């Protein structure tokens, strides 16, 4: 294909029916699933078992099975939490912010980007709960009238987290489901299998696609998008407060909120690419997820990547500029301390690698794009490691400095959640239309529509006036 | 079923019958059987005798519900039960007849004496319903003055150690006391006339009663012999005295009178049993307050860094063999007539030191070290005489030991006789000679040739395994005895609890052998009644008073006048290869305390090593041997070296210790046990296996070879913090600077707290007019002895976590002692200035830990305490992350239950349950904990004061760390009361706040460290 | 395409949708109701004791002072449970062979202590001190309910933290003059007790009258009680 | 047609081939004076609501109210807990540290608004309604796929079976069918 940026966002000769067929077919015809689906799903399922095992052992023994200690009270659990939450952000960004910006190219990727958000947030949500010493009383973080007469302590960023993450989860789920209703209706009507009819019938809530339905639907959807946009920004800002609010050198910085949000979108787009590139191939969706889409996403990664890199530079600058001996030592420690290799690996992954995306050739080369996305995901995990561990392990009093290393259980938990994510993601692919069909049809109509919309509206108004005169 | 009115059972029979029933049972099973027994009428009557404290065992088992639940329930409760839900239905069991003076829930204190290496330290023991739960010093006792040390504190754990031997055994098979006495009497009877071949081996004996009993044995069996061997005793001092004066006299130092102190390798601040008193006296001359014009000066010459050297104003690290030369030079310098072989000063500073000492005639003192040869001691005596110290800073008194003999000679003689089969029956009363005897004596196989060998000891240890009979010895808290302090003052040792196991004291055993088996109480009481001038009626009063006061007046050792000390000829300095130095371990001493988990885990004062000993050497030496690189010379590496000495080899992990004398290696004794409990067995390496009887303290000719083995040593200072990383956790000045500055505040802008805060504390709190608790820690007198750490552990039910967990940085100490070295040059590295800094929770007024807790488990009280509520904690660890002092500790596992790997010394074990403080919650898994300023003591005092309608007096509340501190470096009180000592200290210019620039406004503040170097030796500038 | 669902499905759908929202809510409410109910708190549930001891008989009818049996209540955190000897000091004279008292006699004979079932239990991380509460004129019934009316002893109040905190926030309503703490029972018996105090003794859900609160404020001053401090965590938890 | 069979008839359903046609058709139907009519499309067609004369501004208001309630609930709860119910000194901070209450307040706002949006939209649309007379039509299934339908209900005062059918056919419907009630 020629230069992706001039390429169309919908390829091939498509009618409404072919769109439905191609996308809905994946779900309705359960027989023709590509082999890769089974392989990946099996792997995901296996890793899910690892996660279950790790969590069972954790609940049985206590957080001591992890590598955490004093001074490093937070380890993998919080690193993974931030990492997953970050990944989630791209979904909401694509579906909400791009919608508000009337970016037509979002239509073909928003559905599974949102699914990705949901599953990533599920993974993330596990950690704050299970990293507590006594998970069975973690419900104390919710405000409820208890016989103790005591309440959560609302100055703590952890309580903010509880609210932010649960709200984010709920709103994303609603947003996702609302987006699905008309497609469920389509599935209901396409389905020949009675069971499918009933299931999709229930899910579609008897959607009939009447003009009134669509009108209210679009209003609500648009406003939801408007709400999700500040929400998604707030969530990662609040996550960053977990650190920024404290006094630990390397945590106590005002740059964290923007820097975290950028990082989140960065990681998120990387994950969308990691998912999109193979799936579009396996399910022959290249017409819908075109090179143009991938190109756009690559550019987004480049942009946010630069913001993140700027964040790293600023951290160093402030450390020097603050004149604060603890901050300065913290920075030196990152550069030459025991964890220096990780720091430099991070700079390579998140700072250097994305620069390749300046070249259109690279952006067009799927293998490269995929690799870069993987590297970036690793880099973002390293970033969280740098922030959480390297700041804690050497703070104020040399006497209480320590080292940290994840144990096998730390790794099992991390890998396990990746399995959990994959497991969910592939169930979704198989049982839910992974691309928004009605929006694609809308898109097709917008591209091919004979009569410009204004004219139609114009005619309608005249009609309405005439009708009133009559009455 | 014996009825109430059959009264002809004496208490002893009852005890005996019970013991017989229990005979041969061990451990938990034994516990169960006691529980079954507890209801039986004889036991009932037995525990209701005239001493209420003795009924404790029964109560512990059946009566004391509330206190018990505090322990058993709390772990359940903390496992997540909020509020009062789903608690198991439980019984509440009253007495049948309540003991007279016991109010359930109110602790009682008894005076007694702890026995450390045969000497006594007066203590008061807190007892809850008869369970000893905490040991405090006895203010009326000369060796304590109200303080104790880590060892004395830890003896409490020994009492409850479930691994103590619990019974009589013959060749490892369970037996009974009756069986033993029967066989023993038969054997004694079978001995040739005069008891030929009967030998008794003891450690240091100061107990008048025991001494009397032994001499009675010797009277009865004239041919019998009494041997003594106490590995960690001050043999050289005795020998030195004999050399200097021709008779064994004992030197007692009065450091409160000393303006200048020179120690010749003497660790007088650390070496039991006199350390507590000496530390106090030393500190009295060292406190610096505004306007102070004098401060004592300490010169230390030492080879192994110890806390004494760390306190010194001038410290020189020398090979032990070189110290005699220094001593001679200084002696010459202060005018001791040395005769022909006057030694020439080898070091520039020698003359300066001599001049300074001489300048303080009568107010200076020279203290020789236990590890130095008799000659050095003789020299020191001579110097003290020349300095006019005798009578002021030094007193010579009659030996406190019942029979002062040369222990090593005595032991050698015994071994020789055993080899020659001249020993038919050997009675080892306490101690563990098979383990502690120098390797070349091969005591074990000599002992094997003794047909009838008996070992009375608290543990089934190496000696127990080698002897025919092993008898369980009672702990000093469960048996009657008496003991003399280092200055001779005698105390009655009264028990607080019935023997937990079927054990007996040496008194009871000897009495049994002498065919007059009466209980310990009568033995001891009879002895003192016999010696008592006056009618019995008065004796009873006196006796009661002795028990009450914990000291027997007028028993201090008599002063003796001594001739001028003869100065021995110089011993030739042999220095081939390297020296090996054998030193008692700072915590385990000679191994006596080896099975004590508290002391095992307690970081050594300087190395901060836990659960291991190591071959200590200087950085330079390690570099020369290629065991370390110059850059990383001060970072502990995991090298293992092979030490070869006099044909014996020993592999030991290497630990590089700044300030260690060059060309020598120190090995701490007391480690590498093969038996004697799971805590000590297999930990560390056995230095005795290199020790020889001709040079028990140190010797030359050591070879060191690196090996390929690696071994992980665990030190709680991950960072050896050779410099202070550009930070100032400790502020210090030289005394001279401080005076010249007109006592200007020590803290500069960088260290002091900003006056502004971003937020306004609610007036309800800010302007609270009640108490405001605060603490002040005087770094100038803190000697880093760790007493506070163990006291806190005992008071607050702090669990032991084991080596693995410590290596993961999960130790649980609420107060830790940070050790900092100053200086970065290589010279510093070889002999750094050392600082100790105790760090408990700072109780910040603007506490960073509080706002980040999501459930409000840590908040502020009106009295300014940073409250930690375990039962509200969900365990996010955010508070600890946000604590700049890192004083919070987290229960990563259920440590209180010995998890993850049955760490010993925890609280769900039936015996340890008895030990725990019922007023402090035992923390469960997954909750944060930290220093509370001993809030249980605060609340107790507040309630008492309210009931008496008064306010709490200054000094009425003592935190555990404050109470135990030998130097009284810690002060606690109400900072709203301007007159309170703590408030006065907070007004001192020397006051500084740790990390003050963070504006956390701690309630715990410090007084700066002062050093008083001799200007002639080179003036130092303090850290700017 | 034909109808997938019958007409009834519409209602069904709406109902089920409602349940999805209301269901969890209902469950939570039931849960909290159960937590607060006697089923969980065991309030008003007499427990099975070795001897059917009646506080009403001993306190109200015979007028025996609380401290006669609960000896350490004024001195210690622990109120104290009477040793067998205390029971026998009377029952060696009266009801000497009542079958009900057999366990007591046996206990004395065998030396086997009586084993009562614990009625009032605090979790072990709560440190309650009887002596100071008595000293501040808090009557037994404030926490233990109408003990003087109990034929069989039962738990008078649910010891929820909120229950303790309520009184620690506004002690005025419950403070009495020290001498009245035990005296009230005597007055009660004699019948010359104020209506307010009678309510306090008898009524488990006693709410102090304004007059009492005013009196209480006086006592707070007198006793020098620092009200604010009473809700500090470490007053009860260590 | 008489009442009876009018009552068992839901309406006439006309099928169109694309978006523009249905808009025109809907407009014509309004001109013809039909009022009870509705159009069904597989995706939102711009101008169609206006064409069938549909107006509704309730949803935004519901969302706004939801948001306001959320904000009040969120901040109110925190204020009440920290100032009224159990004020505690936390790290020397004032009881009401309003800046630290902002995050939770904001999250509550969004949460409540989002619920208002979804629930409001569904209820106003009369959903869920799995059963509907229109589903009796066999062709209606394509309304969610590729066809555009215009339905004139029998309830319409101007509804007249034959005339209306003719009218719809004149609009160029691909098919016109009677949907039984």
């Amino acid at each position: 294909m020629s230069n992706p940026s001039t390429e169309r966002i919908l390829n091939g000769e498509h009618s409404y029916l072919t769109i439905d067929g191609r996308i809905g077919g994946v779900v309705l015809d359960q027989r023709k699933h590509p082999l890769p689906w089974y392989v990946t799903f099996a792997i995901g399922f296996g890793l899910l078992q690892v996660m279950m095992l790790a969590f069972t052992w954790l609940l049985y023994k206590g957080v001591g099975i992890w590598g955490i200690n004093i001074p490093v009270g937070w380890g993998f659990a919080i690193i993974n939490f931030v990492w997953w939450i970050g990944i989630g952000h791209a979904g909401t960004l694509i579906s909400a912010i791009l919608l508000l910006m009337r970016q037509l190219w979002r239509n073909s990727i928003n559905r599974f980007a949102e699914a990705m958000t949901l599953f990533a947030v599920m993974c993330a949500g596990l950690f704050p709960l299970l990293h507590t010493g006594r998970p069975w009383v973690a419900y104390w973080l919710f405000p409820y009238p208890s016989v103790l007469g005591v309440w959560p302590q609302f100055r703590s960023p952890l309580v903010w987290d509880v609210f932010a993450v649960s709200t984010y989860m709920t709103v994303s789920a609603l947003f996702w489901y609302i987006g699905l209703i008309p497609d469920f209706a389509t599935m209901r009507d396409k389905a020949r299998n009675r069971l499918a009819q009933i299931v999709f019938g229930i899910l579609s809530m008897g959607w009939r696609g009447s003009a009134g339905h669509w009108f209210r639907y679009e209003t609500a959807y648009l406003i939801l998008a408007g709400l999700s946009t500040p929400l998604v920004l707030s969530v990662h800002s609040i996550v960053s407060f977990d650190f920024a609010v404290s006094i630990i050198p390397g945590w106590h910085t005002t740059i964290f909120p923007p820097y975290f949000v950028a990082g989140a979108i960065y990681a998120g787009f990387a994950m969308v690419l990691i998912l999109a590139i193979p799936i579009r191939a396996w399910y022959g969706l290249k017409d819908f997820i075109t090179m143009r889409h991938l190109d756009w996403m690559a550019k987004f990664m480049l942009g946010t990547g630069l913001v993140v890199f700027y964040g790293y530079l600023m951290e160093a600058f402030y450390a020097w500029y603050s004149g604060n001996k603890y901050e300065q030592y913290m920075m030196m420690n990152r550069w030459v301390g025991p964890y220096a290799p990780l720091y430099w690996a991070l700079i390579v992954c998140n700072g250097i690698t994305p620069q390749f995306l300046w070249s259109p050739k690279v952006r067009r080369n799927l293998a490269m794009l995929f690799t870069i996305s993987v590297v970036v995901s690793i880099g973002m995990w390293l970033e969280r490691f740098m922030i959480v561990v390297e700041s804690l392990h050497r703070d104020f009093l040399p006497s209480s400095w320590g080292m940290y290393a994840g144990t096998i259980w730390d790794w099992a938990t991390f890998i396990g959640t990746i399995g959990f994510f994959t497991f969910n993601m592939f169930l979704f692919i198989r049982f839910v239309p992974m691309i928004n069909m009605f929006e694609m049809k809308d898109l097709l109509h917008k591209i091919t529509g004979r009569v410009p919309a204004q004219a139609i509206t114009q005619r309608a108004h005249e009609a309405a006036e005439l009708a009133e005169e009559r009455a | 079923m014996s009825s109430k009115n059959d009264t002809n059972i004496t208490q002893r029979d009852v005890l005996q019958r019970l013991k017989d029933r229990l005979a041969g049972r061990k451990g938990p099973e034994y516990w169960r059987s006691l529980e079954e027994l507890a209801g039986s009428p004889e036991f009932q009557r037995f525990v209701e005798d005239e001493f209420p404290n003795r009924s404790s065992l029964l109560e512990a088992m059946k009566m004391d519900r509330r206190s018990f639940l505090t322990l058993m329930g709390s772990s359940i409760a903390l496992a997540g039960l909020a509020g009062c839900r789903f608690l198991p239905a439980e019984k509440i069991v009253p007495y049948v007849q309540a003991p007279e003076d016991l109010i359930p829930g109110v602790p009682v204190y008894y005076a007694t004496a702890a026995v450390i290496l045969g000497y006594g330290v007066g203590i008061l023991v807190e007892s809850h319903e008869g369970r000893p739960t905490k040991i405090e010093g006895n203010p009326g006792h000369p060796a304590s003055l109200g303080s104790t040390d880590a060892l004395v504190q830890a003896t409490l754990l020994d009492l409850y150690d479930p691994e103590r031997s619990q019974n009589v055994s013959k060749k490892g098979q369970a037996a009974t006391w009756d069986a033993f006495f029967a066989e023993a009497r038969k054997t004694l009877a079978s001995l040739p006339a005069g008891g030929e071949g009967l030998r008794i081996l003891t450690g240091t004996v100061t107990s008048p009663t025991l001494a009397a009993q032994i001499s009675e044995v010797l009277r009865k069996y004239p041919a019998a012999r009494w041997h003594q061997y106490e590995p960690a005793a001050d043999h050289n001092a005795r020998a030195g005295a004999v050399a200097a004066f021709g008779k064994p006299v004992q030197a007692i130092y009065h450091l409160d009178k000393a303006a200048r102190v020179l120690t010749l390798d003497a660790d007088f601040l650390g070496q039991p049993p006199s350390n507590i008193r000496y530390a106090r006296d030393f500190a009295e001359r060292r406190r610096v307050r505004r306007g102070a014009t004098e401060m004592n000066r300490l010169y230390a010459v030492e080879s192994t860094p110890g806390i004494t050297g760390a306190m010194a104003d001038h410290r020189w690290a020398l090979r032990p063999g070189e110290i005699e030369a220094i001593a001679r030079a200084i002696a010459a310098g202060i005018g001791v007539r040395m005769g022909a072989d006057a030694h020439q000063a080898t070091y520039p500073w020698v003359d300066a030191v001599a001049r300074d000492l001489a300048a303080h005639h009568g107010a200076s003192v020279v203290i020789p070290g236990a590890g130095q040869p008799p000659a050095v001691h003789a020299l020191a005596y001579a110097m003290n005489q020349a300095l006019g110290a005798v009578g002021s800073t030094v007193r010579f008194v009659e030996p406190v030991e019942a029979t002062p003999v040369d222990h090593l000679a005595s032991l050698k003689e015994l071994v020789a006789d055993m080899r020659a089969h001249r020993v038919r029956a050997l009675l080892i009363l306490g101690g563990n000679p098979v383990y502690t005897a120098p390797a070349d004596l091969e005591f074990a196989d000599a002992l094997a040739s003794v047909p009838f060998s008996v070992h009375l000891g608290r543990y089934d240890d190496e000696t127990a395994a080698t002897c025919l009979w092993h008898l369980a010895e009672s702990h000093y808290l469960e048996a009657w005895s008496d003991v003399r302090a280092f200055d001779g003052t005698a105390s009655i040792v009264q028990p607080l609890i019935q023997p937990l196991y079927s054990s007996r004291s040496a008194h009871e055993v000897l009495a049994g052998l002498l065919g007059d088996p009466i209980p310990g109480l009568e033995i001891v009481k009879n002895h003192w009644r016999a010696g008592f001038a006056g009618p019995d009626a008065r004796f009873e009063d006196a006796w009661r008073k002795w028990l009450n006061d914990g000291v027997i007046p007028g028993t201090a050792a008599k002063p003796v006048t001594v001739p001028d000390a003869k100065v021995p000829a110089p011993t030739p300095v042999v220095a081939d290869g390297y020296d090996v130095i054998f030193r008692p371990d700072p915590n385990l001493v000679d191994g006596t305390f080896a099975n004590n988990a508290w002391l095992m885990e307690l970081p050594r004062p300087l190395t901060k090593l836990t659960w291991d000993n190591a071959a200590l050497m200087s950085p330079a030496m390690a570099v020369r041997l290629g065991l370390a690189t110059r850059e990383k010379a001060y970072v502990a590496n995991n090298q293992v070296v092979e030490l070869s000495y006099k044909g014996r080899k020993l592999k030991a992990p290497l630990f590089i210790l700044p300030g260690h004398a060059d060309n020598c290696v120190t090995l701490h004794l007391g480690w590498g046990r093969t038996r004697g409990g799971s805590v000590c067995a297999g930990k560390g390496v056995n230095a005795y296996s290199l020790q020889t009887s001709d040079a028990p303290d140190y010797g030359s000719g050591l070879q060191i070879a690196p090996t390929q083995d690696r071994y992980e040593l665990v030190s709680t200072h991950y960072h050896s913090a050779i410099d202070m990383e550009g930070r100032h956790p400790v502020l210090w000045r030289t005394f001279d600077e401080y005076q010249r500055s007109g006592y200007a505040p020590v803290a500069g802008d960088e260290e002091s707290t900003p006056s502004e805060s971003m937020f306004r504390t609610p007036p309800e709190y800010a302007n609270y007019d009640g108490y405001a608790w605060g603490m002040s820690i005087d770094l100038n007198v803190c000697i880093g002895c760790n007493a506070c750490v163990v006291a806190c552990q005992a008071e607050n039910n702090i669990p032991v976590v084991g080596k693995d967990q410590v290596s993961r940085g999960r130790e649980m100490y609420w107060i830790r002692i940070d050790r900092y070295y100053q200086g970065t040059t290589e010279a510093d590295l070889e002999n750094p200035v050392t600082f100790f800094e105790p760090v408990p929770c700072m109780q910040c007024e603007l506490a960073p830990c509080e706002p980040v807790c999501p459930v409000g488990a840590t908040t502020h009280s009106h009295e300014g305490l940073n409250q930690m509520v375990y039962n509200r904690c969900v365990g996010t660890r955010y508070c600890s992350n946000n604590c700049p002092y890192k004083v919070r500790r987290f229960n990563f596992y259920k440590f209180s239950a010995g998890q993850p790997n049955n760490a010993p010394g925890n609280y769900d074990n039936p015996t340890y349950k008895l030990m725990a403080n019922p007023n402090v919650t035992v923390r469960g898994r997954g909750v944060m904990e930290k220093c509370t300023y001993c809030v249980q003591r605060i609340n107790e005092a507040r309630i008492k004061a309210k009931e008496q309608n008064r306010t709490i007096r200054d000094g009425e509340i003592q935190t555990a760390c404050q109470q135990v501190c030998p130097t009284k470096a810690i002060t606690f009180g109400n900072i709203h009361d301007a007159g309170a000592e703590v408030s006065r200290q907070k007004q001192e210019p020397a006051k500084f706040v740790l990390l003050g620039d963070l504006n956390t406004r701690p309630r715990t503040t410090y007084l700066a460290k002062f050093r008083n170097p001799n200007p002639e030796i080179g003036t130092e500038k303090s850290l700017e | 395409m034909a109808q997938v669902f019958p007409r009834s499905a519409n209602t069904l759908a709406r109902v089920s949708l409602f349940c999805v929202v209301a269901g969890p809510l209902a469950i939570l409410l039931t849960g909290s109701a159960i937590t607060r109910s006697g089923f969980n708190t065991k309030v008003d549930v007499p427990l099975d004791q070795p001897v059917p001891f009646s506080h009403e008989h001993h306190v109200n009818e015979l007028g025996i002072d609380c401290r006669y049996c609960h000896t350490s209540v004024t001195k210690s955190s622990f109120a104290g449970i009477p040793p067998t000897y205390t029971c026998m000091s009377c029952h060696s004279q009266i009801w000497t062979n009542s079958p009900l008292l057999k366990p007591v006699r046996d206990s004395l004979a065998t030396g086997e202590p009586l084993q009562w079932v614990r009625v009032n239990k605090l979790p072990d991380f709560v440190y309650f001190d009887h002596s100071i509460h008595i000293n501040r004129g808090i009557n037994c019934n404030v926490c233990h309910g109408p003990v003087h009316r109990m034929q069989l002893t039962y738990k008078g109040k649910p010891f929820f933290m909120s229950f303790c905190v309520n009184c620690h926030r506004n002690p005025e309503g419950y403070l009495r003059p020290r001498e009245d703490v035990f005296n009230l029972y005597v007055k009660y018996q004699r019948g010359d007790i104020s209506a307010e105090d009678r309510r306090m003794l008898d009524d488990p859900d006693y709410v102090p009258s304004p007059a009492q609160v005013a009196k209480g404020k006086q006592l707070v001053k007198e006793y020098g009680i620092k009200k604010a401090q009473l809700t500090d965590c470490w007053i009860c938890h260590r | 047609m008489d009442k009876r069979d009018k009552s068992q008839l839901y309406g006439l359903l006309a099928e169109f081939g694309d978006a523009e046609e249905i808009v025109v058709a809907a407009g014509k139907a309004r001109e013809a004076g039909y009022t009870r009519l509705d159009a069904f499309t597989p995706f939102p067609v711009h101008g169609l609501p206006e064409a069938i004369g549909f107006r509704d501004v309730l949803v935004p208001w519901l969302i706004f109210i939801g948001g306001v309630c959320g904000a009040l609930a969120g901040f109110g709860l925190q204020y009440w807990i920290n100032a009224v119910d159990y004020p505690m000194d936390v790290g020397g901070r004032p009881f009401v540290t309003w800046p630290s209450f902002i995050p939770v307040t904001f999250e509550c706002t969004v949460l409540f608004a989002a619920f208002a949006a979804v629930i409001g939209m569904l209820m106003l649309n009369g959903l869920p309604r799995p059963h509907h007379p229109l589903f009796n039509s066999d062709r209606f299934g394509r309304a969610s796929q590729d066809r555009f339908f215009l339905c004139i209900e029998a309830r319409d005062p101007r509804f007249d079976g034959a005339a209306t059918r003719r009218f719809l056919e004149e609009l160029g419907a691909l098919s016109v069918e009677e949907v039984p009630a």
Side-chain angles (χ1 to χ4, degrees), chain B residues 305-355:
Chain B
I307 58 177
T308 309
M311 284 300 284
D313 301 294
H314 289 287
R315 174 185 181 279
W316 297 281
L318 295 174
R319 294 175 70 159
E322 300 170 344
I323 291 176
E324 182 178 341
I326 297 294
R328 292 185 173 280
I330 297 175
I334 56 178
V336 176
R337 285 187 315 288
M338 304 292 295
D341 46 61
H343 203 288
Q344 281 321 305
T346 44
Y347 292 84
W349 43 267
V350 163
D351 298 326
V353 175
R355 267 199 302 285

Side-chain angles (χ1 to χ4, degrees), chain B residues 856-873:
Chain B
T858 180
T859 60
H860 232 69
S861 86
H862 285 74
E863 295 180 345
L865 296 175
N866 168 236
Q867 315 171 108
M868 179 69 223
V869 187
Y870 314 121
N871 44 300
R872 179 64 176 171
C873 179

Side-chain angles (χ1 to χ4, degrees), chain B residues 274-348:
Chain B
S274 53
N275 55 333
I276 301 167
R277 174 58 180 270
Y278 286 170
R280 172 71 61 84
D281 291 348
F282 177 74
E284 289 316 324
R285 291 296 290 257
R286 206 166 175 83
R287 282 177 228 285
V288 171
R289 297 285 180 265
R290 188 200 309 269
T293 53
E294 72 165 21
M295 166 180 174
N296 64 7
R297 178 176 296 154
L298 173 62
Y299 299 98
V301 182
E302 63 177 9
S303 30
T304 307
I307 58 177
T308 309
M311 284 300 284
D313 301 294
H314 289 287
R315 174 185 181 279
W316 297 281
L318 295 174
R319 294 175 70 159
E322 300 170 344
I323 291 176
E324 182 178 341
I326 297 294
R328 292 185 173 280
I330 297 175
I334 56 178
V336 176
R337 285 187 315 288
M338 304 292 295
D341 46 61
H343 203 288
Q344 281 321 305
T346 44
Y347 292 84

Side-chain angles (χ1 to χ4, degrees), chain A residues 59-60 64-66 68-70 73-74 131 133-134 136 140 153 156 242 246-248 325-326 329 395-396 399, chain B residues 78-80 727 750 808-810 818 851-854 871 873-878 881-882 886 892-893 925:
Chain A
L59 292 175
Y60 177 65
I65 65 170
W66 290 345
I68 44 177
N69 55 35
I70 309 293
W74 286 350
H131 96 290
R134 303 199 291 160
W136 51 88
W140 284 345
Q153 204 279 102
S156 168
D242 288 350
S246 83
I247 66 171
I248 300 299
K325 55 176 177 281
Y326 307 115
Y329 179 80
D395 61 350
F396 296 96
S399 62
Chain B
L78 278 171
R727 305 156 193 229
E750 200 184 342
R808 295 168 187 274
R810 295 172 180 179
D818 288 351
V852 297
C853 175
N871 44 300
C873 179
V874 300
T876 66
R877 302 178 298 286
Y878 200 170
N881 289 349
N882 212 30
K886 290 288 176 283
F892 290 90
Y893 291 100
R925 158 186 152 193

Side-chain angles (χ1 to χ4, degrees), chain B residues 238-284:
Chain B
R238 194 189 302 102
V242 176
F245 309 119
K247 57 180 173 181
V249 297
Q250 184 167 327
I252 292 179
Y253 303 96
H254 294 272
L255 299 163
D256 50 341
K257 301 201 181 71
R260 295 291 181 269
V261 182
L262 166 66
T263 75
L264 301 168
D265 211 5
D267 186 9
F268 65 88
L269 293 175
Q271 185 193 358
S274 53
N275 55 333
I276 301 167
R277 174 58 180 270
Y278 286 170
R280 172 71 61 84
D281 291 348
F282 177 74
E284 289 316 324

Side-chain angles (χ1 to χ4, degrees), chain B residues 227-241:
Chain B
H227 303 273
Q228 300 181 54
Y229 182 64
E230 185 75 53
D234 204 343
H235 311 300
N236 297 314
R238 194 189 302 102

Side-chain angles (χ1 to χ4, degrees), chain A residues 78-92:
Chain A
I78 300 300
I79 296 170
N80 300 342
F81 165 66
V82 181
W83 190 69
W84 278 119
I85 280 279
I87 286 172
H89 279 43
T92 327

